Amino acid sequence: METISKKHNFGAGPCILPQSVMEKAAQAVLNWNNSGLSILEISHRIPEFETVVRQTQDLVRELMGVPEDYAILFMQGGASTQFSMVPQNFLNRKGAYLDTGFFAIKAIKEARYFGEVDIVASSEDQAYNYIPEIEASHLDADYLHITSNNTIEGTEMFSYPKLGVPLICDMSSDIFSQVIDVSDFDLIYAGAQKNMGPAGMTLVIVKNALLDTVKKPVPSMSDYRIFRDNLSLYNTPPVFSIYVAMLNLQWLKEKGGVAAIEKENQMKAEMLYAEIDRNSLFSGIAQRAHRSRMNVTFRGTDAEMEKAFLEFAAKRDIVGVRGFPTMGGFRASMYNALPVESVGILVKAMQDFEG
Ligand SMILES: *Cc1c(COP(=O)(O)O)cnc(C)c1O
């Protein structure tokens, strides 16, 4: 099979995946496991696909150290559907939300369809360039919702609040990037396309005890219990997305798991932030203590210089570094599969551009 010469892909999502995963996925599209069928045309009801679902669950459980009393679900609708599913299931009286920017705001908007929302802290006052502290030591709410990594603004949480209510986390853009203690959370969700696989599948890790608290009627496709009790096969799941996520998690396991990739992610982040801080033409956007290792946001000196650098970088096969439209500047996303070498090439481009 032909392998194209690859770009250095700093795109924020859908994300870069390892070349070996791409090759295995391409092979499965042509002839899956020598079955004479493409992964795109198999029934999701055959035992062989059930095995894929179980293996993917096992890999998530092993790599993240998910305790036995948590269910692992593969859903559709992206992380954005979780914004409404969470309150639909768990908001009875009041949902508490930490307002850390673009995606947190979207989660808050959806929660308001289902009840009262308490914004316990916000970093809106400084254009979301930091993670705000929650003043209270105990919350009076059905749950607290946080966003562990703010993909647009480039901020990340490195510790998580314990405030006596179930903790629900949108972990879309830093899941599998660092070792966490899943038992700090009651529900974690993440769209696959940031650090797990191709778009289409949304991972949900949820404590069974939280599901036992659901008292209101919930339509089937929004009911986590239905997905848990049917091995995520209540309806047709995103077969290909689950399969490629499995391949990617196998790759991660072979690399030494989350602890090993965390070291690499730390190194990549240090390399790029060091250059941003050194280079006279660039400046970081997020406050230092809250800088994301996954999505590095920075600016140039002015719009003209930024445009020129994007063109300069493109000539070196660097793609995906344009900032989100509302943010401007640059954003370099450095998910698990982005090689250290690519970060070196970006850093070198910044140095050569400075001259
Ligand atoms: C990308 C992203 C989302 C939205 O994900 P979709 O799968 O497009 O719905 C939500 N939250 C965070 C933190 C994200 O990075």
Short mmCIF file of all heavy atoms in Angstrom, two decimals, residues 24-25 27-39 42 46 48-49 51-52 55 243 246-247 250:
data_model
loop_
_atom_site.label_atom_id
_atom_site.label_comp_id
_atom_site.label_asym_id
_atom_site.label_seq_id
_atom_site.Cartn_x
_atom_site.Cartn_y
_atom_site.Cartn_z
N LYS A 24 -3.37 -0.05 8.97
CA LYS A 24 -4.25 -1.16 9.39
C LYS A 24 -5.72 -0.83 9.10
O LYS A 24 -6.49 -1.70 8.69
CB LYS A 24 -4.08 -1.44 10.89
CG LYS A 24 -2.79 -2.18 11.20
CD LYS A 24 -2.63 -2.43 12.69
CE LYS A 24 -1.25 -2.99 12.97
NZ LYS A 24 -0.83 -2.81 14.36
N ALA A 25 -6.09 0.45 9.29
CA ALA A 25 -7.47 0.86 9.01
C ALA A 25 -7.75 0.74 7.52
O ALA A 25 -8.82 0.26 7.10
CB ALA A 25 -7.70 2.29 9.48
N GLN A 27 -6.30 -1.27 5.40
CA GLN A 27 -6.40 -2.70 5.08
C GLN A 27 -7.78 -3.24 5.47
O GLN A 27 -8.40 -4.00 4.72
CB GLN A 27 -5.29 -3.46 5.83
CG GLN A 27 -5.24 -4.95 5.53
CD GLN A 27 -5.11 -5.26 4.05
OE1 GLN A 27 -4.25 -4.70 3.37
NE2 GLN A 27 -5.99 -6.10 3.52
N ALA A 28 -8.28 -2.81 6.63
CA ALA A 28 -9.59 -3.30 7.09
C ALA A 28 -10.72 -2.82 6.20
O ALA A 28 -11.76 -3.47 6.09
CB ALA A 28 -9.82 -2.86 8.53
N VAL A 29 -10.51 -1.68 5.55
CA VAL A 29 -11.54 -1.19 4.61
C VAL A 29 -11.59 -2.11 3.39
O VAL A 29 -12.65 -2.37 2.83
CB VAL A 29 -11.25 0.27 4.20
CG1 VAL A 29 -12.11 0.69 3.01
CG2 VAL A 29 -11.50 1.21 5.38
N LEU A 30 -10.43 -2.65 3.00
CA LEU A 30 -10.39 -3.52 1.82
C LEU A 30 -10.82 -4.95 2.15
O LEU A 30 -11.61 -5.55 1.43
CB LEU A 30 -8.97 -3.51 1.24
CG LEU A 30 -8.51 -2.14 0.73
CD1 LEU A 30 -7.05 -2.20 0.33
CD2 LEU A 30 -9.38 -1.68 -0.43
N ASN A 31 -10.29 -5.47 3.23
CA ASN A 31 -10.56 -6.87 3.58
C ASN A 31 -10.28 -7.01 5.06
O ASN A 31 -9.13 -7.08 5.49
CB ASN A 31 -9.66 -7.79 2.75
CG ASN A 31 -9.95 -9.26 3.02
OD1 ASN A 31 -10.85 -9.61 3.77
ND2 ASN A 31 -9.17 -10.12 2.39
N TRP A 32 -11.35 -7.06 5.85
CA TRP A 32 -11.20 -7.03 7.30
C TRP A 32 -10.88 -8.43 7.83
O TRP A 32 -11.69 -9.35 7.66
CB TRP A 32 -12.47 -6.48 7.95
CG TRP A 32 -12.39 -6.45 9.44
CD1 TRP A 32 -11.39 -5.89 10.19
CD2 TRP A 32 -13.32 -7.02 10.37
NE1 TRP A 32 -11.65 -6.07 11.52
CE2 TRP A 32 -12.83 -6.75 11.67
CE3 TRP A 32 -14.53 -7.70 10.23
CZ2 TRP A 32 -13.50 -7.16 12.82
CZ3 TRP A 32 -15.20 -8.11 11.38
CH2 TRP A 32 -14.68 -7.84 12.66
N ASN A 33 -9.73 -8.57 8.46
CA ASN A 33 -9.34 -9.85 9.08
C ASN A 33 -9.50 -11.04 8.15
O ASN A 33 -9.93 -12.11 8.57
CB ASN A 33 -10.19 -10.11 10.34
CG ASN A 33 -9.70 -9.32 11.53
OD1 ASN A 33 -8.64 -8.69 11.46
ND2 ASN A 33 -10.46 -9.35 12.61
N ASN A 34 -9.21 -10.83 6.88
CA ASN A 34 -9.36 -11.91 5.88
C ASN A 34 -10.77 -12.49 5.85
O ASN A 34 -10.97 -13.67 5.56
CB ASN A 34 -8.36 -13.03 6.14
CG ASN A 34 -6.99 -12.66 5.60
OD1 ASN A 34 -6.89 -12.05 4.52
ND2 ASN A 34 -5.95 -12.99 6.35
N SER A 35 -11.75 -11.65 6.14
CA SER A 35 -13.14 -12.14 6.14
C SER A 35 -13.74 -12.07 4.75
O SER A 35 -14.84 -12.58 4.51
CB SER A 35 -13.98 -11.27 7.08
OG SER A 35 -14.01 -9.92 6.61
N GLY A 36 -13.04 -11.42 3.81
CA GLY A 36 -13.64 -11.20 2.50
C GLY A 36 -14.66 -10.08 2.51
O GLY A 36 -15.38 -9.85 1.53
N LEU A 37 -14.73 -9.37 3.64
CA LEU A 37 -15.66 -8.24 3.76
C LEU A 37 -14.88 -7.02 4.25
O LEU A 37 -13.88 -7.14 4.96
CB LEU A 37 -16.75 -8.55 4.79
CG LEU A 37 -17.76 -9.63 4.42
CD1 LEU A 37 -18.62 -9.97 5.64
CD2 LEU A 37 -18.66 -9.17 3.27
N SER A 38 -15.38 -5.85 3.87
CA SER A 38 -14.81 -4.61 4.38
C SER A 38 -15.38 -4.31 5.76
O SER A 38 -16.55 -4.62 6.03
CB SER A 38 -15.16 -3.46 3.42
OG SER A 38 -14.96 -2.22 4.07
N ILE A 39 -14.59 -3.70 6.61
CA ILE A 39 -15.09 -3.25 7.92
C ILE A 39 -16.29 -2.30 7.74
O ILE A 39 -17.13 -2.16 8.62
CB ILE A 39 -13.96 -2.56 8.75
CG1 ILE A 39 -14.40 -2.23 10.18
CG2 ILE A 39 -13.46 -1.29 8.08
CD1 ILE A 39 -14.47 -3.39 11.11
N ILE A 42 -19.64 -4.81 7.34
CA ILE A 42 -20.01 -5.92 8.22
C ILE A 42 -21.21 -5.55 9.08
O ILE A 42 -21.48 -4.38 9.33
CB ILE A 42 -18.83 -6.31 9.16
CG1 ILE A 42 -18.42 -5.12 10.03
CG2 ILE A 42 -17.67 -6.88 8.36
CD1 ILE A 42 -17.69 -5.50 11.29
N ILE A 46 -22.60 -9.30 14.40
CA ILE A 46 -21.83 -10.54 14.36
C ILE A 46 -20.92 -10.64 15.59
O ILE A 46 -20.48 -9.62 16.13
CB ILE A 46 -20.98 -10.67 13.06
CG1 ILE A 46 -20.01 -9.49 12.90
CG2 ILE A 46 -21.88 -10.79 11.83
CD1 ILE A 46 -19.06 -9.59 11.73
N GLU A 48 -17.88 -11.38 15.88
CA GLU A 48 -16.55 -10.79 15.70
C GLU A 48 -16.56 -9.30 16.01
O GLU A 48 -15.56 -8.76 16.49
CB GLU A 48 -16.05 -11.01 14.26
CG GLU A 48 -15.73 -12.45 13.91
CD GLU A 48 -16.94 -13.23 13.44
OE1 GLU A 48 -18.10 -12.74 13.60
OE2 GLU A 48 -16.75 -14.35 12.92
N PHE A 49 -17.67 -8.62 15.73
CA PHE A 49 -17.68 -7.19 16.06
C PHE A 49 -17.93 -6.97 17.55
O PHE A 49 -17.37 -6.05 18.14
CB PHE A 49 -18.68 -6.39 15.21
CG PHE A 49 -18.55 -4.91 15.48
CD1 PHE A 49 -17.42 -4.21 15.06
CD2 PHE A 49 -19.50 -4.22 16.22
CE1 PHE A 49 -17.24 -2.87 15.36
CE2 PHE A 49 -19.33 -2.87 16.53
CZ PHE A 49 -18.21 -2.20 16.09
N THR A 51 -16.68 -8.74 19.70
CA THR A 51 -15.33 -8.89 20.24
C THR A 51 -14.55 -7.58 20.12
O THR A 51 -13.82 -7.20 21.03
CB THR A 51 -14.58 -10.03 19.49
OG1 THR A 51 -15.37 -11.21 19.61
CG2 THR A 51 -13.21 -10.26 20.06
N VAL A 52 -14.74 -6.87 18.99
CA VAL A 52 -14.07 -5.57 18.81
C VAL A 52 -14.54 -4.60 19.91
O VAL A 52 -13.72 -3.91 20.53
CB VAL A 52 -14.37 -4.98 17.41
CG1 VAL A 52 -13.94 -3.51 17.34
CG2 VAL A 52 -13.68 -5.80 16.32
N GLN A 55 -13.00 -5.66 23.20
CA GLN A 55 -11.56 -5.38 23.24
C GLN A 55 -11.29 -3.89 23.41
O GLN A 55 -10.36 -3.49 24.12
CB GLN A 55 -10.88 -5.88 21.95
CG GLN A 55 -10.60 -7.37 21.99
CD GLN A 55 -9.93 -7.88 20.73
OE1 GLN A 55 -9.71 -7.12 19.78
NE2 GLN A 55 -9.64 -9.16 20.70
N TYR A 243 -13.64 0.72 15.60
CA TYR A 243 -12.55 -0.18 15.19
C TYR A 243 -11.21 0.56 15.14
O TYR A 243 -10.19 0.08 15.65
CB TYR A 243 -12.87 -0.80 13.81
CG TYR A 243 -11.80 -1.77 13.38
CD1 TYR A 243 -11.62 -2.98 14.05
CD2 TYR A 243 -10.93 -1.46 12.33
CE1 TYR A 243 -10.61 -3.86 13.67
CE2 TYR A 243 -9.93 -2.33 11.96
CZ TYR A 243 -9.77 -3.53 12.64
OH TYR A 243 -8.77 -4.39 12.28
N MET A 246 -9.89 1.32 18.49
CA MET A 246 -9.25 0.12 19.05
C MET A 246 -7.80 -0.02 18.56
O MET A 246 -6.89 -0.25 19.36
CB MET A 246 -10.05 -1.13 18.69
CG MET A 246 -9.48 -2.40 19.31
SD MET A 246 -10.21 -3.90 18.61
CE MET A 246 -9.25 -4.04 17.10
N LEU A 247 -7.61 0.18 17.25
CA LEU A 247 -6.25 0.09 16.70
C LEU A 247 -5.34 1.14 17.35
O LEU A 247 -4.18 0.87 17.68
CB LEU A 247 -6.28 0.32 15.18
CG LEU A 247 -7.01 -0.71 14.31
CD1 LEU A 247 -7.02 -0.24 12.85
CD2 LEU A 247 -6.38 -2.08 14.43
N GLN A 250 -4.45 0.17 20.84
CA GLN A 250 -3.42 -0.89 20.82
C GLN A 250 -2.04 -0.27 20.59
O GLN A 250 -1.06 -0.65 21.22
CB GLN A 250 -3.72 -1.91 19.70
CG GLN A 250 -4.84 -2.85 20.07
CD GLN A 250 -5.33 -3.68 18.87
OE1 GLN A 250 -5.05 -3.37 17.71
NE2 GLN A 250 -6.09 -4.73 19.16
#
